[in-house]
Amino acid sequence: MIQTETKVTFAKNVGFRKELNKRVDAYFESQNIAKRDNLAMYIKTLIIFGWVISASLFTLFGSPLMWTKVIGCILIGFGIAGIGFSVGHDANHGGYSSRKWVNSVLGLTYDIIGVSSYLWRFRHNYLHHTYTNILGHDVEIDGDGLVRMSPFKEYRWYHRFQHIFIWLVYTVIPFYWSVSDIHLILVKRKYHEHAIPTPKPLGMLILLGSKFIWLGLFLGIPISVGYTPLQSLIGFSIIYMSYGLLICTIFMLAHVMDTAEFIQPNPVSNQIDDEWAIFQIRTTVDFAPKNAFLNWYLGGLNYQVVHHLFPQVCHIHYSKIAPILSEVCEEFGVKYNVYETFTEALVANFRWLKIMGNKRDVNLSEATGLSSN
């Protein structure tokens, strides 16, 4: 059991989650399909792995023209993002398979691409999914002081430029994650006031040892087949800058938006005055539900509201669950925020970052309907 220094509680259930779960369970029963272990997901995994492997072989051994190498590196980066979106994300949530060992093995894809699956499960599965958009608990909206995503975050002068420089920040985030993983587990040992549980010896070995495997794959192999260290480093940088730009942009579109709420608990009771499931809907946004390619490639991350409510259901089912969620939301008077296109969501995220960079809007809780319980 995870022990933390502070614990936010939620108001008593009003029946929303119970009714939603009942209808979703009825859907799976009526269709006689499993929530996990689906053939479509296995095929998708093979396609994405094939994407990364073929793009890597093309880049290493294909045309010697430099511009083709650059394109190849970008394709590898997008393939790695696909692993992160679909395979590793579902597996680390326990939503890929009903077999724990399958989820554990595929969850290690995160370690192979440079980010600790152990720390990610604590930071993302526990802190982010439990305390979504609550500053001081949800690490993913903290921004380490560099980016201001929440109206409750202290304002600094350079935030006025964040909607511009954040695109550069995205490109270096994967390198930052890889280094900070080691610092967090060996030195800091906590996210905010939430102590990181100590991994077992095997877990620690995987966390630290996988960094060498990661570097060996993306730097060691190119050098071993004849590329210079400088050429290998440039290719590695292009791969991970492409990956970072894409994956950070997508994750931002779920919560850092002008329709997502940033809620702080009551300072006395440390409670949120909402049922947890309703709180999730208030702080999360879906986008581009009719875009077939994004539905496939993003691993259901464009159905982020559905994902937060059913993280242990394989994402290939999210498009079918969303209409059920919409019906229940309407019956309970809960607003379900959806941007119809990717462009609309991107503009909304840009707009919110710009607002957060405006010192005059430092206190937006009343002006925009944001809440502090």
Side-chain angles (χ1 to χ4, degrees):
M1 181 176 179
I2 296 173
Q3 300 292 330
T4 61
E5 311 302 336
T6 57
K7 184 174 179 62
V8 176
T9 58
F10 296 88
K12 185 178 180 180
N13 290 350
V14 297
F16 177 91
R17 190 179 186 185
K18 182 179 180 180
E19 180 62 25
L20 177 62
N21 288 348
K22 183 177 77 173
R23 295 192 194 183
V24 169
D25 287 342
Y27 161 74
F28 282 104
E29 291 174 7
S30 67
Q31 298 298 311
N32 194 29
I33 53 178
K35 296 179 180 179
R36 295 170 289 276
D37 292 305
N38 304 108
L39 179 61
M41 188 61 204
Y42 293 137
I43 294 173
K44 180 177 182 178
T45 301
L46 292 175
I47 292 172
I48 293 174
F49 284 167
W51 173 347
V52 174
I53 293 170
S54 60
S56 299
L57 293 174
F58 167 78
T59 305
L60 288 171
F61 305 111
S63 170
L65 296 175
M66 192 57 62
W67 66 270
T68 64
K69 303 285 187 188
V70 172
I71 291 175
C73 288
I74 293 172
L75 288 173
I76 296 170
F78 284 7
I80 290 172
I83 292 174
F85 290 145
S86 295
V87 183
H89 192 235
D90 268 27
N92 280 301
H93 272 293
Y96 190 102
S97 174
S98 296
R99 300 176 182 87
K100 185 176 180 180
W101 71 267
V102 174
N103 289 321
S104 297
V105 170
L106 290 177
L108 292 176
T109 55
Y110 270 16
D111 298 89
I112 299 302
I113 64 175
V115 59
S116 166
S117 60
Y118 179 83
L119 291 174
W120 189 89
R121 285 192 298 272
F122 181 72
R123 178 181 70 244
H124 182 85
N125 291 14
Y126 176 62
L127 295 181
H128 171 65
H129 271 255
T130 305
Y131 307 117
T132 311
N133 278 15
I134 301 179
L135 192 65
H137 296 272
D138 184 356
V139 180
E140 297 188 8
I141 63 155
D142 182 71
D144 287 341
L146 182 61
V147 179
R148 183 173 184 253
M149 295 176 253
S150 167
F152 302 105
K153 184 73 173 179
E154 181 184 0
Y155 175 85
R156 297 188 182 278
W157 66 268
Y158 50 79
H159 289 144
R160 72 183 70 178
F161 307 110
Q162 66 179 12
H163 59 291
I164 299 172
F165 69 66
I166 196 167
W167 305 101
L168 178 61
V169 172
Y170 290 160
T171 64
V172 299
I173 286 294
F175 306 103
Y176 170 76
W177 281 340
S178 297
V179 174
S180 66
D181 281 348
I182 298 173
H183 179 258
L184 280 164
I185 201 64
L186 296 181
V187 180
K188 192 174 180 181
R189 302 306 309 276
K190 64 180 181 179
Y191 289 111
H192 301 305
E193 296 303 316
H194 296 270
I196 298 172
T198 302
K200 295 178 180 179
L202 178 60
M204 183 70 81
L205 178 63
I206 291 173
L207 195 160
L208 299 177
S210 62
K211 301 300 181 184
F212 293 98
I213 296 174
W214 169 58
L215 293 175
L217 286 173
F218 293 98
L219 280 175
I221 289 179
I223 292 172
S224 69
V225 299
Y227 291 87
T228 68
L230 180 59
Q231 289 172 332
S232 300
L233 183 60
I234 291 173
F236 176 69
S237 298
I238 293 172
I239 289 170
Y240 272 87
M241 290 173 73
S242 302
Y243 160 70
L245 179 62
L246 183 57
I247 202 164
C248 290
T249 298
I250 295 303
F251 274 105
M252 288 282 274
L253 299 187
H255 305 286
V256 187
M257 310 288 276
D258 54 6
T259 53
E261 297 186 49
F262 293 79
I263 300 171
Q264 291 299 107
N266 183 294
V268 177
S269 64
N270 213 30
Q271 184 179 72
I272 299 293
D273 293 335
D274 256 324
E275 177 181 336
W276 177 85
I278 295 175
F279 162 79
Q280 289 299 317
I281 297 170
R282 291 175 62 188
T283 56
T284 312
V285 176
D286 284 357
F287 64 90
K290 298 178 182 178
N291 189 311
F293 173 72
L294 292 183
N295 284 343
W296 185 88
Y297 178 59
L298 298 183
L301 291 178
N302 57 322
Y303 283 105
Q304 191 75 194
V305 180
V306 179
H307 169 64
H308 270 245
L309 295 170
F310 299 97
Q312 293 185 318
V313 172
C314 183
H315 70 263
I316 65 171
H317 301 299
Y318 289 173
S319 63
K320 300 298 184 182
I321 295 175
I324 301 172
L325 171 60
S326 181
E327 290 177 1
V328 178
C329 283
E330 187 174 353
E331 292 175 16
F332 279 79
V334 178
K335 187 179 179 182
Y336 175 21
N337 291 307
V338 182
Y339 290 94
E340 292 302 318
T341 67
F342 174 75
T343 302
E344 288 177 7
L346 200 61
V347 170
N349 170 248
F350 181 86
R351 183 167 56 236
W352 181 251
L353 289 172
K354 193 171 182 180
I355 290 173
M356 288 293 93
N358 188 338
K359 189 175 183 180
R360 291 172 300 175
D361 294 325
V362 66
N363 186 355
L364 297 176
S365 58
E366 294 182 4
T368 64
L370 301 175
S371 299
S372 177
N373 287 352

